[in-house]
Amino acid sequence: MNQQEIRVTRVDIFGQEYSLRGQASEEHMRLVAALVDEKMQEIAQANPRFDSAKLAVLSAVNIADEYVRLVQEYNDLLAALEGDAVKP
Amino acid sequence: MNQQEIRVTRVDIFGQEYSLRGQASEEHMRLVAALVDEKMQEIAQANPRFDSAKLAVLSAVNIADEYVRLVQEYNDLLAALEGDAVKP
């Protein structure tokens, strides 16, 4: 596939169909959609009265929480490696 | 603060107020909420007709996309380090 080509992957998230556009593989997009769907199902089960907008926002918050933690871990690891590199 | 203590942070995401509960610092929760709010604003600007549930789902997809990529980079880095470790 051409590097610039935009792929469209149709996925189901919390009972709604979405067309995801991007250069990533279909496998990657399905994994991403499954992660969001799973998080929405999990939050819906614990909070049956939340509407889908609230569920989706809280799912985004939940995933962003894990993302920010991982960014910090990744940066800590890189900093530790740089620290190693300058040791005599 | 006690390690087990649950903190409540009130944040604003796309014009709605949310009470986020968790053990993380208020600074961390505000950073996470700002990331979600920013992503929703960005997608809303490009797609003014999307309702807030769709905007929130697509924001979650967008953040999950970056999260999955970072998990892969982090694992690749760890694998490379382990590769280093077993070199003679």
Side-chain angles (χ1 to χ4, degrees):
Chain A
M1 186 181 84
N2 187 306
Q3 282 289 323
Q4 301 304 311
E5 205 174 313
I6 299 295
R7 209 189 275 271
V8 179
T9 307
R10 295 186 83 77
V11 296
D12 183 282
I13 300 173
F14 207 67
Q16 283 284 114
E17 207 180 58
Y18 294 88
S19 295
L20 304 179
R21 287 169 177 77
Q23 290 178 38
S25 70
E26 191 179 323
E27 187 195 358
H28 173 84
M29 293 320 296
R30 294 207 178 281
L31 179 64
V32 163
L35 185 74
V36 176
D37 181 66
E38 202 176 277
K39 200 59 85 180
M40 284 185 75
Q41 304 281 0
E42 189 187 308
I43 298 175
Q45 217 155 10
N47 307 277
R49 295 176 142 198
F50 285 2
D51 62 31
S52 53
K54 191 166 186 179
L55 286 175
V57 169
L58 293 176
S59 302
V61 164
N62 217 293
I63 296 165
D65 173 50
E66 290 177 50
Y67 174 68
V68 170
R69 287 171 198 272
L70 187 60
V71 167
Q72 283 156 353
E73 271 183 58
Y74 188 78
N75 288 339
D76 287 350
L77 184 58
L78 284 181
L81 290 174
E82 277 168 28
D84 273 354
V86 295
K87 265 184 198 162
Chain B
M1 187 179 85
N2 187 306
Q3 282 289 322
Q4 302 304 312
E5 203 174 314
I6 298 294
R7 210 190 273 271
V8 179
T9 308
R10 296 186 82 77
V11 296
D12 182 282
I13 299 173
F14 206 66
Q16 283 285 113
E17 206 179 59
Y18 294 87
S19 296
L20 305 179
R21 287 169 177 76
Q23 290 177 39
S25 71
E26 191 179 323
E27 187 195 357
H28 173 84
M29 293 319 297
R30 294 207 178 280
L31 179 64
V32 164
L35 186 74
V36 176
D37 181 65
E38 203 176 277
K39 201 58 87 180
M40 285 185 76
Q41 304 282 359
E42 189 187 309
I43 298 175
Q45 217 155 11
N47 308 277
R49 293 175 143 198
F50 285 2
D51 63 30
S52 55
K54 191 166 186 180
L55 286 175
V57 169
L58 292 177
S59 302
V61 164
N62 218 293
I63 296 164
D65 172 50
E66 291 178 48
Y67 175 67
V68 169
R69 287 170 198 271
L70 188 60
V71 167
Q72 283 155 354
E73 271 184 58
Y74 187 78
N75 288 339
D76 287 350
L77 184 58
L78 285 181
L81 289 174
E82 276 169 29
D84 274 355
V86 293
K87 266 184 196 160

